[in-house]
Amino acid sequence: MSHTDRRGRLARTALALSTLTVIALLAGCSTPSSSPTPGAGNWVTTTPAAKKAVDSVAWNLILEPASLDPALANNYAENTVLSNVCESLLKMEPNFKIDDGLASLRTNADHTVLTLDINPAAKFSDGAPVTGEDAAYSLTRNWQPVLTSNWSSYFSSVTGINATGKRQVTITLSHADLLFEKLLATAAGAVNEKAQVEAAGEKFGTASALPTCSGPYKITEWKQGSELTIQKNANYWKGDHALANKIVFTFLQGDATQTTAMTGNAVQGMYNPPFTALSRLASHGQVFNGKSLLTFYVAPTAKKGPLQDPRIRQALFLALDRSAVAKTAFGGAAVAAQ
């Protein structure tokens, strides 16, 4: 599975906790494996490499995707699927480093002109080449307000997006925006096949018009309310790296239902499993704790009142035992932000 993009925000609030927990259950596993307490010494950036090919893996999502249009994808379920299907111009490594993805990035001296050269070998799962026009079209869908993309606010510094070559797209900015450069490694930088998006129209991203992208997997079926299947992309331009022939995503809800499915091996894994069941799940498989961009925080929502006084917020911050909250409310799978 590819690393899943998760956007987080730094919080100056009474409570800030960072957590990412993955549970992986192995069929026939009989040796209990305890879950380590999160900390800098035992956080992981990736799970152990697979050793052999398997026909199918069942993976549960915490909710069913609302849309598989990358421009509308802004939640954990959508991005878990799309990160395996739709590649972005840049790529976020498991350690959060930004690297080349579909393209390599060049900038001018003041970072107001971003030139992305698409890898000449890149192609969509239907065999068509990934072009500068495809990239410009995909980025523009996020930039322009017509679609009301979930990513549009991050494009506020953009003044132009143009295909400047068969395999090149150039973005001009009103001022240097290093956050925007990093955003190109998220679903905001995903490239769709322009012809397919235009042909699908408003149905694009639904079960009847699944996206065609360039990733190691392609979506083959979406049974709404039940499951979603991705299949290994035989035309993957980087070669055959996927050891799971297909991945079946389920949308089981509720702590008890998810825990039963995983301990019974009906599901082999999920991100953010029930915190209340971590100790039980660890006896059936292995729980991995790793650094994340995911944060939980308490923040005042009222425009007026005592919580608008920074001294009161500071007092609450000092009074609250955030480490105890991390241990009890999150089953030990979180750490208090410093």
Side-chain angles (χ1 to χ4, degrees):
M1 300 280 288
S2 300
H3 186 73
T4 304
D5 161 57
R6 297 189 176 191
R7 298 186 301 151
R9 292 175 290 180
L10 297 177
R12 297 177 184 173
T13 53
L15 169 66
L17 299 169
S18 179
T19 175
L20 170 60
T21 304
V22 179
I23 178 72
L25 301 179
L26 305 178
C29 179
S30 59
T31 303
S33 176
S34 61
S35 172
T37 300
N42 53 37
W43 274 326
V44 299
T45 55
T46 185
T47 52
K51 296 181 179 179
K52 63 180 181 179
V54 294
D55 179 60
S56 181
V57 171
W59 194 270
N60 193 56
L61 303 175
I62 59 175
L63 47 85
E64 182 172 6
S67 170
L68 290 177
D69 179 348
L72 301 177
N74 192 23
N75 215 330
Y76 311 125
E78 290 89 339
N79 287 323
T80 299
V81 175
L82 290 173
S83 63
N84 292 282
V85 174
C86 295
E87 293 176 306
S88 297
L89 291 164
L90 299 181
K91 178 176 64 175
M92 181 185 291
E93 301 289 357
N95 63 359
F96 305 120
K97 177 185 176 182
I98 305 299
D99 207 344
D100 293 350
L102 277 172
S104 58
L105 173 65
R106 294 182 288 115
T107 72
N108 64 344
D110 61 2
H111 286 255
T112 56
V113 179
L114 314 181
T115 303
L116 293 129
D117 296 302
I118 299 170
N119 191 305
K123 61 181 179 180
F124 294 109
S125 59
D126 62 3
V130 179
T131 69
E133 187 176 0
D134 291 314
Y137 177 78
S138 299
L139 292 172
T140 300
R141 294 180 75 239
N142 286 319
W143 174 38
Q144 300 293 354
V146 177
L147 187 66
T148 316
S149 167
N150 288 314
W151 304 101
S152 60
S153 62
Y154 293 92
F155 282 68
S156 60
S157 60
V158 174
T159 58
I161 300 175
N162 297 283
T164 47
K166 184 176 181 180
R167 295 274 192 168
Q168 187 181 87
V169 60
T170 299
I171 306 167
T172 55
L173 307 175
S174 59
H175 59 270
D177 189 342
L178 298 182
L179 177 61
F180 176 78
E181 291 183 22
K182 296 179 184 298
L183 192 76
L184 296 175
T186 72
V191 178
N192 298 116
E193 192 170 13
K194 177 182 177 181
Q196 189 222 3
V197 180
E198 290 183 329
E202 293 182 355
K203 293 183 178 180
F204 180 69
T206 68
S208 62
L210 299 169
T212 298
C213 294
S214 61
Y217 285 90
K218 59 183 180 180
I219 307 170
T220 56
E221 187 178 31
W222 183 1
K223 297 178 181 177
Q224 291 182 299
S226 176
E227 62 185 36
L228 188 155
T229 302
I230 61 176
Q231 191 87 22
K232 185 162 64 173
N233 175 13
N235 292 318
Y236 188 44
W237 61 281
K238 289 184 178 180
D240 186 5
H241 296 289
L243 291 181
N245 181 52
K246 68 178 179 179
I247 301 171
V248 180
F249 294 102
T250 55
F251 323 123
L252 302 177
Q253 303 292 298
D255 290 6
T257 301
Q258 292 171 352
T259 302
T260 299
M262 286 187 287
T263 56
N265 202 41
V267 169
Q268 280 84 59
M270 70 176 292
Y271 292 111
N272 283 351
F275 295 116
T276 56
L278 290 180
S279 58
R280 180 183 173 193
L281 292 172
S283 67
H284 289 265
Q286 188 166 0
V287 177
F288 298 91
N289 293 299
K291 283 187 176 182
S292 168
L293 301 180
L294 178 64
T295 59
F296 295 86
Y297 51 86
V298 174
T301 57
K303 300 299 182 182
K304 297 181 180 180
L307 287 179
Q308 293 303 314
D309 187 334
R311 296 171 300 174
I312 294 179
R313 295 201 303 271
Q314 182 67 15
L316 289 173
F317 181 85
L318 295 172
L320 184 62
D321 188 344
R322 293 172 297 131
S323 295
V325 173
K327 181 178 180 180
T328 56
F330 294 89
V335 292
Q338 301 299 317

